[in-house]
């Protein structure tokens, strides 16, 4: 039945532009046979007598064959269309018009892929029951956070379903806390159905269903319902993300959804939308050309009056933060995969200078630092300025002046953009700061606003200047822009810049040639672990090559003992404070540098290159004793302008010089767990990824026959260093990852609480960093990546001998496998949600049953 959506789609579109070449295909007729497609070349051949007709017929059978090939692949390139070769470009462009299909480009290849949603994005309960629950919240009868304590099991199941839908509508957040502002606004609304009606089309899945129902207007109610059920089974996963929605759930959720839409009068009794929702891509692009000017004018005309009204929940605030930013991300030359767009009218109170920021995520995701494009409004709302500006919160006066001049020097005077200090936003400190941060601008006055095409071309020009300056700063510099000030960037440009996927493949191949059989996944995990936090612990039985994998990892990317970028420091059992690593004052008062201090000084002097320190047999001494200063300073890192800066490890008074942790230093510790070593405290485990290497394959001798040598790559440090320190650095780009990860961690924490092993904010943040880099590099599936994080950041915290530990492990086992744990059962973790973590938990349970005590560590 879902095929009807495709067949109805072709009746609505008049032309299809291919995704790569933008070749125009005109759909001139649609009948029971198929669709009639003309191109400029087919028309010309017809006019010249080389063709009998100006069109070609694409039959419905051919079209539906292509559709089946696409949904079988789910994420398809031209190579996935085998039966329908010859018209692949047309089919991909046609299918991309569907509301549940998106376009992506990876390594130069164009993909179309099915969007995916989760069951909690569809109504779980009947509409009237959700409204009743909202009234009960208003009356104080139920607290969403305490439902399990307030209700018996049967009523709890009913009300928890309504609570889930209250969360869908925004009345409750993921922590089951009430959005009091929205609940009060709903309570005071004269028509509560209308209030909910305004929310529903803004929810992604529901909006997509409305578009599909718009396409299916000519079908019966049952056919519409069957198509939406089928759609749910195609693109909606269960709340754990492990499987696609089963038919029974799809039918129930779809029926609830359609009744919600009917009750709020978004659709009529025949289940057709009362408004038009479907738009072609060309219509969306045409609409976009008239919205920059309109958006700016609305803000300028309404802002002063809005400031006289309460700040919280004001519609102009929502317009700037949501509607305007969405419009800008749809502009063809603003790549939504690379750019972040945010808008602000203030935090808690109206801002003197509201703004809209357009940021390249390679440079910044926060207006507090870096440089970005922005629209700044004058305090009197008489003018708005399109600017290339800098973060004023975390950038020093000197850095701002230097960067301002660099930006101005990077483009010629032939542009319309001004590069002087004559911008005037107002008299407040914020207005003066914003004006001072501005390197380039174009001014628009309220009384003489230009036509829309001028706004479009001006923004395109500013993006061109911005992108050119970014290329200049990261090293891809044309001769026109080279200068002495960019010497360090030119040095970086001579080093290798490759994708994460190619880089991890190279590292794995390099290590394999050395005769150590580690899987590609293990090497990729080590890379992601170092990138999310520059401190990793490798554990395992003696002789598995823990030391060597670090050495070969470093050497594969240009860091060796010979060039001083790799240093092995053996740990001695008698170390009991930081002086053994960092140094001390001798009896003469002279400072004697420790081995780590020497490495840090060298790394600080070569910031573009990565430096590795291997602390061999790290737990021969108590890590908390000799490493505590370094751990504390590692957590002190903060943004200073565009740079990450730590607190001092050594001060002028102690050593005669100041020493801080540089961002190009990576510390890896190897550990054995036996009677000669010390266990780790949670302070240490919280601050590291703990990776186990216990697998050995002595039969692997293929490397002996491989005589081909492999060269190392010399990479720049920014390919390995972390760009994130705080969760807010990540939120604008990877909001979905944060929310999805947090939901999983909340469930795991509930199990861990009884043994006080639950994780805190630091662990959550670093897991989110890991998952964000994983998505950026397209390395693991989400569940695979989270599996590694659970195994490395959470399970090492569990140890003990009592029944509470057993209860926690059994609960985690069920969570990771969706199965009940049974003793003496042969476990197959192939279909587990988190197979690595499930296998580890099963191993820990066996040890608890056999030895009476268990821990993460194999000794």
């Amino acid at each position: 039945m879902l095929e009807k959506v495709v067949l109805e789609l072709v009746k609505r579109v008049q032309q299809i532009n291919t995704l790569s070449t933008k070749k125009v295909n005109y759909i001139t007729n649609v009948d029971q046979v198929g669709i009639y497609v003309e191109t400029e070349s087919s028309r010309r051949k017809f006019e010249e007598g080389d063709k009998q007709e100006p069109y070609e017929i694409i039959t419905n059978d051919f079209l539906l064959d292509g559709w089946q090939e696409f949904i079988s692949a789910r994420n398809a390139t031209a190579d996935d269309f085998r039966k329908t070769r010859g018209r692949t470009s047309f089919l991909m462009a046609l299918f991309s018009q569907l509301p549940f299909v998106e376009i992506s480009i990876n390594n130069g290849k164009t993909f179309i892929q099915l969007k995916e949603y989760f069951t909690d994005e569809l109504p779980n309960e009947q509409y009237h029951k959700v409204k009743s629950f909202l009234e009960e919240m208003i009356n104080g009868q139920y607290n969403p956070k305490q439902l399990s304590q307030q209700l018996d099991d049967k009523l709890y199941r009913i009300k928890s379903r309504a609570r889930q839908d209250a969360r869908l509508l925004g009345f409750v957040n993921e922590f089951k806390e009430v959005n009091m502002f929205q609940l009060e606004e709903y309570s005071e609304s004269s028509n509560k159905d209308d209030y909910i009606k305004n929310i529903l089309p803004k929810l992604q899945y529901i909006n997509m269903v409305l578009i599909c129902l718009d396409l299916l207007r000519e079908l019966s109610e049952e056919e519409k319902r069957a198509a939406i059920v089928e759609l749910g089974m195609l693109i909606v996963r269960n709340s754990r993300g492990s499987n696609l929605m089963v038919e029974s759930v799809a039918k129930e959720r779809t029926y609830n959804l359609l009744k919600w839409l009917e009750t709020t009068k978004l659709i009529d009794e025949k289940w057709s939308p009362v408004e038009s929702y479907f738009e072609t891509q060309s219509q969306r692009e045409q609409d976009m050309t008239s919205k920059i000017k309109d958006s700016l004018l609305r803000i300028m005309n309404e802002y002063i009056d809005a400031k006289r009204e309460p700040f919280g929940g004001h519609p102009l605030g929502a317009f700037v933060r949501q509607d305007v930013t969405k419009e800008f991300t749809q502009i063809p030359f603003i790549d939504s995969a690379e750019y972040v767009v945010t808008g602000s009218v203030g935090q808690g109170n109206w801002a003197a200078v509201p703004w809209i920021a357009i940021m390249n995520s390679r440079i910044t995701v926060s207006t507090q630092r870096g440089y970005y494009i922005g629209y700044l409004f004058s305090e009197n709302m008489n003018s708005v300025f399109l600017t290339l500006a800098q973060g004023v919160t975390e950038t020093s006066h000197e850095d701002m002046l230097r960067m301002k001049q660099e930006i101005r020097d990077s483009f010629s005077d032939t542009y319309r953009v001004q590069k002087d200090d004559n911008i005037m936003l107002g008299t407040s400190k914020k207005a003066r700061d914003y004006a001072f941060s501005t390197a380039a601008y174009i001014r628009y006055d309220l009384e003489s606003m230009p036509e829309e095409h001028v706004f479009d071309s001006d923004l395109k020009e500013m993006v061109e200047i911005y992108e050119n300056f970014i290329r200049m700063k990261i090293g891809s510099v044309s001769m026109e822009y080279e200068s002495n000030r960019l010497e360090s960037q030119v040095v970086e440009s001579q080093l290798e810049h490759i994708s994460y996927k190619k880089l991890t493949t190279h590292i794995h191949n390099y290590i394999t040639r050395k005769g150590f059989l580690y899987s590609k996944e293990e090497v990729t995990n080590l890379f992601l672990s170092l990138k999310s936090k520059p401190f990793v612990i490798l554990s395992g039985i003696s002789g598995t090559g823990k030391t060597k994998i670090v050495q070969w990892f470093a050497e594969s990317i240009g860091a060796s003992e010979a060039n001083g970028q790799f240093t092995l420091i053996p740990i001695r059992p008698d170390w009991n404070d930081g002086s053994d690593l960092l140094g001390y004052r001798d009896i003469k008062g002279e400072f004697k540098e420790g081995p780590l201090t020497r490495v840090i000084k060298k790394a600080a002097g070569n910031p573009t290159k990565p430096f590795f320190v291997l602390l061999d047999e790290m737990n021969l001494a108590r890590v908390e004793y000799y490493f505590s200063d370094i751990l504390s300073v590692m957590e002190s890192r903060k943004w200073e302008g565009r740079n990450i800066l730590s607190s001092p490890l050594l001060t002028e008074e102690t050593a005669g010089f100041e020493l801080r942790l540089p961002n190009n230093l990576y510390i890896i510790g190897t550990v054995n767990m036996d009677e000669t070593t010390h266990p780790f405290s949670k302070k240490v485990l919280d601050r590291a990824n703990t990776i186990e290497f216990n697998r050995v394959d002595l039969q692997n001798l293929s490397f002996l026959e491989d005589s081909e040598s492999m060269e190392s790559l010399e990479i720049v440090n920014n390919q390995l260093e972390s760009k994130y320190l705080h969760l807010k650095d990540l939120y604008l780009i990877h909001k979905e990852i944060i929310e999805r990860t947090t939901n999983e961690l909340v469930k795991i924490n509930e199990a861990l609480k009884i043994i006080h092993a639950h994780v805190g904010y630091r662990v959550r943040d670093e897991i989110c960093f890991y998952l964000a880099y994983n998505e950026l590099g397209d390395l693991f599936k989400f569940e695979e990546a989270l599996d590694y994080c659970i195994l490395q950041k959470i399970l090492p915290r569990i140890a003990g001998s009592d029944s509470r530990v057993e209860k926690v492990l059994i609960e985690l086992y069920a969570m990771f496998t969706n199965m009940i744990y049974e003793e003496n059962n042969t476990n197959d973790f192939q279909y587990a949600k988190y197979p690595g973590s499930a296998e580890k938990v099963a191993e820990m349970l066996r040890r608890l049953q056999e030895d009476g005590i268990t821990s993460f560590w194999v000794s």
Side-chain angles (χ1 to χ4, degrees):
M1 190 57 67
L2 191 56
E3 294 170 344
K4 298 275 189 180
V5 179
V6 182
L7 297 176
E8 292 299 318
L9 172 70
V10 297
K11 298 177 183 178
R12 296 287 192 98
V13 293
Q14 296 177 334
Q15 70 178 56
I16 295 291
N17 299 344
T18 58
L19 303 179
S20 299
T21 62
K22 303 301 180 186
K23 178 181 176 182
V24 181
N25 295 261
Y26 302 98
I27 298 177
T28 56
N29 189 26
V30 180
D31 61 20
Q32 292 182 339
V33 176
I35 54 179
Y36 296 72
V37 180
E38 299 181 18
T39 64
E40 294 293 346
S41 61
S42 69
R43 288 175 175 176
R44 186 170 57 252
K45 288 178 181 178
F46 171 73
E47 291 168 357
E48 293 171 353
D50 294 333
K51 281 178 66 72
Q52 291 185 342
E53 303 290 349
Y55 55 78
E56 291 183 8
I57 300 177
I58 297 178
T59 67
N60 289 335
D61 289 341
F62 184 90
L63 184 65
L64 295 180
D65 280 343
W67 172 248
Q68 289 301 322
E69 289 186 301
F70 167 48
I71 63 173
S72 296
R74 300 187 68 84
N75 185 6
T77 66
D79 296 335
D80 293 301
F81 293 86
R82 294 182 175 87
K83 286 186 178 180
T84 50
R85 287 203 183 281
R87 301 297 306 192
T88 300
S89 297
F90 174 82
L91 291 177
M92 288 180 67
L94 175 64
F95 296 152
S96 74
Q97 300 281 325
L98 292 164
F100 47 87
V101 177
E102 59 188 356
I103 305 165
S104 62
I105 298 175
N106 191 2
N107 292 328
K109 271 195 171 183
T110 301
F111 293 76
I112 57 170
Q113 60 193 46
L114 293 168
K115 296 179 182 178
E116 288 196 354
Y117 300 85
F118 295 92
T119 48
D120 54 11
E121 295 178 76
L122 284 69
N124 190 39
E125 189 55 274
Q126 297 174 44
Y127 182 76
H128 71 276
K129 292 183 180 179
V130 178
K131 284 185 67 179
S132 295
F133 182 71
L134 293 177
E135 291 299 325
E136 290 160 349
M137 286 170 57
I138 292 169
N139 298 332
Q141 185 173 348
Y142 295 127
N143 181 340
K145 206 166 187 176
Q146 299 174 348
L147 275 186
S148 58
Q149 290 85 39
Q150 294 176 321
L151 303 168
D152 60 33
D153 287 347
K154 183 177 180 181
L155 191 55
Y156 172 73
R157 285 195 295 272
I158 296 170
K159 294 300 180 182
S160 64
R161 286 164 61 97
R163 178 180 64 187
Q164 181 178 315
D165 289 337
R167 180 186 169 195
L168 174 65
L169 293 168
F171 291 99
V172 177
N173 68 15
E174 64 268 30
F175 303 110
K176 305 181 182 68
E177 298 165 337
V178 178
N179 180 345
M180 289 306 301
F181 170 77
Q182 183 169 317
L183 190 63
E184 289 170 5
E185 196 174 57
Y186 172 78
S187 174
E188 295 167 2
S189 62
S190 57
N191 188 321
K192 292 181 171 53
D193 288 337
D194 277 352
Y195 188 94
I196 294 175
K197 177 182 179 180
N198 290 329
I199 295 174
L200 294 179
K202 298 175 184 176
L203 305 178
Q204 288 187 17
Y205 186 83
I206 293 177
N207 182 266
M208 184 201 60
V209 167
L210 286 167
I211 296 172
C212 291
L213 291 173
D214 194 347
L215 286 168
L216 299 172
R217 284 181 183 276
E218 302 305 316
L219 275 65
S220 69
E221 294 96 296
E222 281 310 305
E223 287 175 313
K224 289 172 186 172
R225 179 178 174 179
I228 302 304
V229 168
E230 192 175 325
L231 175 65
M233 295 170 65
L234 179 68
I235 65 171
V236 178
R237 293 189 176 275
N238 61 35
S239 59
R240 297 183 298 275
S242 52
N243 296 300
L244 290 168
M245 187 163 59
V246 297
E247 185 175 8
S248 59
V249 177
K251 285 182 175 179
E252 180 188 12
R253 296 287 177 108
T254 297
Y255 181 75
N256 286 341
L257 172 53
L258 291 170
K259 297 306 290 184
W260 278 39
L261 296 177
E262 185 179 357
T263 305
T264 56
K265 295 184 170 53
L266 283 165
I267 59 176
D268 58 25
E269 67 280 0
K270 294 184 178 180
W271 290 352
S272 292
V274 297
E275 297 179 17
S276 176
Y277 283 90
F278 175 76
E279 289 180 320
T280 64
Q281 183 64 33
S282 59
Q283 284 175 315
R284 290 194 290 272
E285 290 179 2
Q286 288 171 9
D287 290 345
M288 191 59 238
T289 61
S290 63
K291 288 184 179 175
I292 297 178
K293 179 179 179 179
D294 290 347
S295 297
L296 299 178
L297 278 172
R298 177 177 171 182
I299 297 168
M300 296 171 81
N301 287 324
E302 296 183 14
Y303 194 73
I304 290 177
D305 288 338
K307 287 176 71 175
R308 300 187 184 101
E309 300 169 7
F311 178 81
H314 197 284
L316 187 62
F319 174 73
V320 173
R321 287 188 296 268
Q322 299 167 22
D323 298 348
V324 175
T325 56
K326 183 179 179 182
E327 299 295 349
F328 276 100
T329 57
Q330 293 174 349
I331 296 175
F333 54 85
I334 302 288
D335 185 353
S336 60
E338 191 166 332
Y339 275 82
V340 175
V341 183
T342 60
S344 176
V345 294
Q347 295 182 345
N349 294 294
W350 293 102
V353 177
W355 48 261
I356 301 158
I358 304 168
M359 300 171 283
N360 187 305
S361 58
R362 290 179 295 168
I363 304 305
T364 184
V365 294
S366 168
T367 57
Q368 296 183 356
R369 57 183 170 272
Y371 48 94
Y372 51 87
I373 295 169
Y375 287 91
L376 297 173
F377 296 83
S378 65
E379 288 181 330
N380 59 14
M381 290 294 131
N382 287 337
S383 304
V384 61
F385 296 82
L386 171 60
T387 68
L388 189 47
Q390 304 172 70
V392 298
T393 306
E394 299 182 10
T395 310
S396 68
H397 185 276
E398 294 74 19
D399 282 345
M400 204 173 289
L401 281 173
R402 177 181 54 79
M403 183 64 72
K404 185 190 295 190
Q405 194 57 51
E406 286 185 12
I407 292 172
R408 289 174 177 175
D409 289 345
S410 72
F411 66 96
S412 68
D413 295 332
T414 57
Y415 288 93
R416 237 171 68 79
V417 180
Q418 301 297 306
K419 44 182 178 179
D420 54 46
D421 293 321
N422 296 330
I423 179 173
M424 179 63 183
L425 296 169
T427 57
S428 69
K429 183 179 185 303
K430 211 59 167 174
R432 296 196 306 273
D433 287 345
Y434 285 146
F436 179 76
S437 78
T438 299
Y441 66 91
I442 298 175
R443 174 175 176 156
Y444 309 104
D445 291 322
L446 182 61
E447 299 303 320
S448 56
M449 296 288 268
E451 294 301 315
E452 178 60 34
H453 69 87
V454 176
F455 286 97
D456 188 68
S457 62
D458 285 349
L459 180 56
K460 190 178 293 185
E461 184 175 282
M462 192 66 85
V463 169
E464 182 182 329
I465 292 170
Y466 183 42
E467 288 292 332
N468 185 75
F469 186 69
I470 292 171
R471 287 192 293 269
M472 184 184 79
K473 292 298 289 180
I474 66 173
S476 302
V477 190
S478 65
M479 291 300 295
E480 179 182 354
Y481 300 112
E482 287 183 2
S483 70
N484 292 333
R485 289 194 305 273
L486 299 173
E487 184 176 347
S488 63
Q489 280 73 33
V490 174
V491 169
E492 285 193 21
S493 71
Q494 297 167 359
L495 304 178
E496 292 282 354
H497 283 271
I498 59 176
S499 70
Y500 294 166
K501 188 167 284 188
K502 288 183 179 178
L503 182 56
T504 51
T505 299
H506 162 78
I507 297 169
H508 175 247
N509 291 341
Y510 190 95
I511 293 171
T512 302
R513 296 283 175 87
K514 298 294 185 180
F516 289 82
L517 188 63
Y518 294 106
S519 70
K520 172 71 181 305
E521 291 75 19
E522 288 172 318
V523 172
T524 301
N525 175 46
L526 177 56
F527 170 82
L528 285 171
S529 298
L530 281 170
K531 191 161 180 67
S532 56
K533 183 72 172 287
F535 177 40
V536 170
I537 295 173
L538 305 185
S539 74
I541 61 174
S542 181
T544 52
K546 299 185 295 294
T547 300
K548 281 299 181 183
I549 191 177
V550 179
Q551 184 177 350
W552 299 139
F553 184 102
E555 191 173 290
S556 72
I557 54 178
S560 65
E561 285 187 296
N563 63 21
Q565 289 176 240
F566 174 82
T567 303
L568 185 148
I569 302 177
I571 304 304
R572 293 172 55 88
D574 59 347
W575 284 8
N576 55 31
D577 62 46
S579 64
D580 296 299
L581 273 179
L582 298 174
Y584 60 92
R585 283 192 177 276
D586 64 13
I587 196 169
K588 298 177 182 178
E590 296 177 357
F591 185 76
K592 299 296 184 181
E593 293 181 357
L596 185 59
T597 296
R598 290 191 288 272
V599 178
I600 290 174
K601 289 174 73 174
K602 188 166 185 178
N606 296 272
T608 63
K609 299 178 180 180
F611 282 71
F612 295 85
V613 170
L614 174 60
L615 301 178
D616 199 29
E617 299 203 50
M618 188 179 189
N619 60 335
L620 277 178
R622 286 197 175 275
V623 178
E624 295 80 8
Y625 291 175
Y626 72 85
F627 206 60
S628 61
D629 292 345
I630 297 156
L631 285 175
S632 297
V633 167
M634 199 175 286
E635 296 307 312
S636 73
R637 295 177 304 160
K638 60 183 179 181
W639 287 103
E640 290 283 348
R642 297 180 305 280
N643 301 314
I644 296 174
L645 196 66
S646 76
S647 297
L649 266 173
L650 295 171
T651 63
E652 191 82 31
E653 292 76 19
T654 302
F657 55 86
E658 188 175 79
L659 188 73
R660 298 175 186 266
L661 273 181
N663 297 324
N664 58 331
L665 181 70
Y666 304 89
I667 300 174
I668 302 101
T670 64
V671 302
N672 296 318
M673 302 304 288
D674 55 35
E675 66 279 359
T676 68
T677 61
H678 298 278
F680 289 110
S681 70
K682 287 180 182 177
K683 175 181 178 180
V684 177
L685 295 175
D686 263 3
R687 290 160 168 80
N689 278 292
T690 304
I691 304 176
E692 268 197 316
F693 288 110
N694 285 320
R695 184 171 55 84
V696 178
D697 184 0
L698 297 179
Q699 292 181 323
N700 172 45
L701 300 176
S702 59
F703 72 99
L704 295 173
E705 301 175 1
D706 194 347
S707 60
E708 184 182 348
S709 62
M710 188 166 186
E711 297 293 327
S712 63
L713 285 175
E714 190 177 354
I715 69 164
V716 290
N717 181 59
N718 64 16
Q719 286 193 273
L720 192 57
E721 72 176 343
S722 178
K723 301 295 190 298
Y724 307 124
L725 281 183
H726 312 293
L727 206 59
K728 67 179 182 181
D729 297 336
L730 191 68
Y731 185 72
L732 290 174
I733 311 175
H734 296 291
K735 180 180 177 182
E736 290 182 5
I737 283 180
I738 293 173
E739 292 176 346
R740 192 173 174 187
T741 304
T742 300
N743 289 339
E744 291 293 288
L745 294 181
V746 166
K747 297 172 191 174
I748 293 171
N749 255 2
E750 285 297 318
L752 296 174
K753 278 181 181 177
I754 64 170
I755 58 170
H756 304 292
H758 46 294
V759 302
Y761 302 119
R762 180 190 295 110
V763 171
R764 175 203 61 188
D765 293 0
E766 290 171 11
I767 289 176
C768 288
F769 298 162
Y770 182 107
L771 294 169
Y773 286 125
N774 171 67
E775 182 175 88
L776 185 64
D778 190 24
L779 299 172
F780 295 124
K781 293 179 181 177
F782 176 87
E783 288 80 8
E784 292 171 335
L786 186 53
D787 189 14
Y788 277 112
C789 293
I790 295 169
L791 190 61
Q792 296 165 186
K793 299 289 288 183
I794 297 177
L795 297 187
R797 307 162 65 87
I798 302 174
S801 59
D802 60 32
S803 60
R804 293 178 306 159
V805 174
E806 183 177 31
K807 181 180 178 182
V808 167
L809 290 172
I810 289 173
E811 190 171 342
L812 290 178
Y813 182 91
M815 202 179 298
F816 298 162
T817 64
N818 294 321
M819 296 186 295
I820 297 172
Y821 178 76
E822 296 179 2
E823 292 184 36
N824 304 318
N825 188 29
T826 301
N827 297 293
D828 181 4
F829 301 107
Q830 180 181 356
Y831 300 106
K833 184 178 182 181
Y834 303 122
S837 301
E839 185 175 2
K840 188 66 181 181
V841 166
E843 175 194 308
M844 293 170 72
L845 276 165
R846 283 195 298 271
R847 289 212 302 273
L848 182 62
Q849 290 152 5
E850 292 170 6
D851 303 334
I853 189 169
T854 194
S855 75
F856 175 86
W857 314 98
V858 176
S859 60

